[in-house]
Amino acid sequence: MSWRAQAEGIPGLKCQWDADLTNLSTFRMVSRGDHIGVADETSLAELLRLLNSNGVPYRVLGWGANQVLRTRETDVLLHLEFPVPPQALSTLRDEYELPASVGLNVLTSHAVQHGLKGWENLTGIPASLGGALYMNAGTSLGEIAAVTRRVRVMEKSGAIRTESIGPGSFSYRRNHFVGPGEVIVGAALFHHGQDPALGGKIRDYLEIRRRTQPLATRNCGCVFKNASPIRQAGRLIDLTGLKGLSVGALRISPRHANFMENAGGATWEDFHRLTDLINQQMRLHWGVSFELEVKAL
């Protein structure tokens, strides 16, 4: 029996083979491949054992907000659909145990309601908790690392490991504890007390994002990591006069130069041609190359 047939027999999985993946990422890149929705940790553990025993490559897609999908995906894309317990966010707590599938927008709403200091770091990030932890997502207000106490990680065997978060657990847009083939399944978040003015701060920051970033377009968020606080990718791309430059159906956003906008039908190949062109110009004008923040295998 093939591994696909075995996967279809695992309770809690929704398997789609050779599916259109275009709408599974915020970038809406043209893509096809295999996609599996996972309902709970038991199903995930059985699936990981099956995939690893058959040598099948896979990765977690999350909300697809910081990923550029290949035209033909050879990895099986996993989407965690774990339910959020009703009591998880029903009251104010010192610590919150949450599944990796919960959206950061849900957490931001809870932060506004209770004025949870530190949770403003999550404002406006279109991601699940698991995806945000994997890349230590953040904004100019801070990073998710600052409010994370523990992370539950499922190993390739299906076993759960709990990581206590310390100073060396994260760095800029990166975690240092999730190994190849492992999956973040949940985390414990805390806060730094309450601030009645936090809701206003979050609303003000969202308004700034609406004015300065192309939030209504098909994009993947910031494309490049900043080389340093004074060598910010968007600023140097802008100063080089590259805003609006297009390759195929993809262009550098006229609103924010570290964003790319998909006019419809853009591909993984378009993305790499445009990023290569940008870095060529960065080396020529500024003597610097930018590392990708978005995941583009």
Side-chain angles (χ1 to χ4, degrees), residues 4 12 18 38 42 46 48 58 69-70 72 94 97 107 131 156 166 169 203-204 207 222 240 243 254 259:
R4 287 184 175 85
D18 190 27
V38 186
T42 301
E46 193 169 349
L48 293 192
Y58 60 89
L69 299 186
R70 292 172 287 190
R72 181 70 199 185
D94 292 332
E97 286 281 355
L107 302 186
K156 294 192 290 185
S169 299
R203 285 188 289 271
D204 289 346
E207 179 56 32
C222 288
T240 312
K243 274 186 175 179
F259 282 69

Side-chain angles (χ1 to χ4, degrees), residues 124-136:
I125 301 173
S128 65
L129 175 60
L133 288 166
Y134 187 84
M135 67 170 293
N136 189 22

